[in-house]
């Protein structure tokens, strides 16, 4: 009897100890979970810099850049990121499963960056050779006459220049054959030009291996391996915790079975224990349901709170900026008006010399220009407030030509010096609408056009009165879109931008705003030729005001200027 008691006590103590160990293990969390997250973020950042390096190399080749400013900046960021990756703080160098691929990646990345020196030298030689070719071509063309033979030679020189330009961008077998054929036709007639052409091809052939080496994908493979190793380590830790959790569940089930058997043998307390178990299960279910409902409510409240904070922060920022600008602007306007009135009084008093009168006229003109500029600043501040506080949109009678001009003011800095704007604004009636929302539509579409244009370009704005509707067209000379992209551009979260560069909500919001106004929007685009958005809006609004204003309440506060580029 005594031995049996001790066996029961030891068994119970061992079971409780094992249960405690399983509970502790199942509740553990990886101590380096934050470190793993930082490692993945750093690896992602390094991968983006590596890709940007390849793009800058390609851009330098296409633009024949010999300053390499953007490329050097990317290299500096990339080298700094690699140093951060190899530092003890990151932890990759001190872990057995990541130390070796990290060293392999760092070696490959360092060799790739070191190859930049040879690439720069080859690029400078290529650009110099091409410049010499241009000089020799001008000299050769200048020495030709109008005879039939010279005209044929001129055509051969121009054709050879075109082929060499194409070869400088992207060599191919057919292109190389045509170059040899054209040079053979010249047959030594222009030795200086032919020597320059051979020098260009030789410089391009020397440049190509260096450019190919800089675009090596081995670094990307090693970064992918490092990322996989980090993810695998996290997965192993999670799996180990899950195993402890399953063991705990199995052991708890076994203990429950043992206690059930014990309870069956305690006949006197069977009914009471059964009732307690039933009540406990009911309580657990009730508490679980309550916790689930509380969790859902917390998630919803968190989402609403985040959105409210965004809107509140944006409103406070714009209100503060507007206040800080309007206060000194009011002083300046008041002072200018006072000076203008004082000049009028002095001029009315008479007795001024002819030179003084001329100066009075010049001062009056300058004050008018100053007041015009200050009024433009005041209009710009009001436009910014309208664009940012979409939750306060109101419906009123509005001139769409004025809205287009306001949108142009907002994005003038992006267009200035690069993109020309052609206005073909007809006489159109004012329509009943939410002006701030239509201003957002115009701003998104103009920004799209600007982002779709690489370099110099043209944006054309047209308005027409068509029956009982007003037509607005915004056309750009950008890269255009194919049919498949056009079919999806108005879908929420559809974007052709890289990850992190666009939300894919801009054009979906534009579509919804136009639809809530009872209008329609169509897109016509051809790759390489540009894109044209056509908007039709009724002169007299038939949609309820609440439907229009609801669009502003649901529009993300940060969507200004983040729509998908029309040709992206």
């Amino acid at each position: 009897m005594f031995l049996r008691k001790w066996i029961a006590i030891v068994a119970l103590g061992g079971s409780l100890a094992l249960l405690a160990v399983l509970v502790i293990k199942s509740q553990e969390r990886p101590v380096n979970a934050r470190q793993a997250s930082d490692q993945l973020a750093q690896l992602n950042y390094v991968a983006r810099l590596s890709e940007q390096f390849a793009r800058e190399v390609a851009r330098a080749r296409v633009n024949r850049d010999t300053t390499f400013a953007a490329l050097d900046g990317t290299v500096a960021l990339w080298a700094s990121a690699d140093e951060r990756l190899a530092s003890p703080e990151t932890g990759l160098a001190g872990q057995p499963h990541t130390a070796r691929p990290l060293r392999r990646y760092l070696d490959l990345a360092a060799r790739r960056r070191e190859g930049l020196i040879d690439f720069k030298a080859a690029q400078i030689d290529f650009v110099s050779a091409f410049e010499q070719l241009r000089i020799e071509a001008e000299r050769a063309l200048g020495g030709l006459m109008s005879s039939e033979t010279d005209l044929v030679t001129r055509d051969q020189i121009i054709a050879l220049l075109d082929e060499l330009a194409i070869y400088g961008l992207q060599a191919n077998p057919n292109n190389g054959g045509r170059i040899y054929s054209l040079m053979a036709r010249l047959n030594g007639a222009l030795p200086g030009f032919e020597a320059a052409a051979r020098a260009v091809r030789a410089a391009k052939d020397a440049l190509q291996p260096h450019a190919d080496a800089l675009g090596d994908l081995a670094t990307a493979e090693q970064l992918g391996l490092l990322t996989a190793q980090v993810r695998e380590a996290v997965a192993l830790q999670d799996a180990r915790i899950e195993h402890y959790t399953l063991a705990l569940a199995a052991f708890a089930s076994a203990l429950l079975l043992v206690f059930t058997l014990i309870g069956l043998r305690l006949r006197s307390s069977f009914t009471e224990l059964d009732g307690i178990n039933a009540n406990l299960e009911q309580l657990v279910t009730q508490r679980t349901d309550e916790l689930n409902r509380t969790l859902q409510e917390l998630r919803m409240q968190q989402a609403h709170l985040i959105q409210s904070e965004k809107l509140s922060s944006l409103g406070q920022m714009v209100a503060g900026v507007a206040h800080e600008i309007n206060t000194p602007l009011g002083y300046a306007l008041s002072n200018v008006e006072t000076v203008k009135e004082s000049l009028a009084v002095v001029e009315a008093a008479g007795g001024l010399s002819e030179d003084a009168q001329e100066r009075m006229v010049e001062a009056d003109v300058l004050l008018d220009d100053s007041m015009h500029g200050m009024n433009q600043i005041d209009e710009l501040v009001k436009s910014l407030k309208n664009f940012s506080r979409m939750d306060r949109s109101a419906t009123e009678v509005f001139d769409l030509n004025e809205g287009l001009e306001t949108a142009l003011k907002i994005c003038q800095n992006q267009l200035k010096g690069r993109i020309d704007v052609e206005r073909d604004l007809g006489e159109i009636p004012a329509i009943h609408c939410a002006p701030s929302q239509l201003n957002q539509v115009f701003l998104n579409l103009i920004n799209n056009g600007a982002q779709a244009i690489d370099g110099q370009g043209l944006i054309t704005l047209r308005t027409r009165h068509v029956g009982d509707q007003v037509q607005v067209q915004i056309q750009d000379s950008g890269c255009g879109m194919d049919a498949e992209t056009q079919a999806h551009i108005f879908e929420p979260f559809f974007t052709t931008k890289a990850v992190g560069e666009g939300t894919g909500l801009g054009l979906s919001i534009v579509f919804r705003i136009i639809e809530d106004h009872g209008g329609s929007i169509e897109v016509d685009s051809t790759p390489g030729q540009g894109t044209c958005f056509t908007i039709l809006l009724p002169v007299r609004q038939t949609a309820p005001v609440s439907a229009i204003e609801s669009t502003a309440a649901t529009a993300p506060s940060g969507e200004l200027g983040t729509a998908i580029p029309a040709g992206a």
Side-chain angles (χ1 to χ4, degrees), residues 321-365:
V321 172
H323 174 74
E324 293 300 327
I325 294 177
N326 281 332
T327 299
L329 183 62
Y331 297 154
L333 276 172
S334 176
N335 293 339
V336 169
E337 290 175 356
T338 302
V339 173
K340 187 174 177 65
E341 292 173 359
S342 300
L343 289 178
V345 172
V346 173
E347 186 176 5
L352 298 176
S353 66
E354 183 178 350
D355 181 64
Q357 289 179 356
E358 290 180 358
R359 290 182 178 272
M360 290 286 289
V361 172
E362 292 177 359
D364 190 61
V365 172

Side-chain angles (χ1 to χ4, degrees), residues 27 32 50 139 163 186 198 225 274 311 318 329 332 380 406 428 447 490 531 559 561:
Q27 296 301 315
N32 58 347
S50 177
R139 184 179 301 163
E163 293 297 334
L186 292 175
R198 285 192 292 272
L225 179 60
D274 187 57
L311 294 174
V318 171
L329 183 62
L380 181 60
T406 300
I428 58 174
N447 274 336
F490 295 117
T531 301
E559 274 301 314

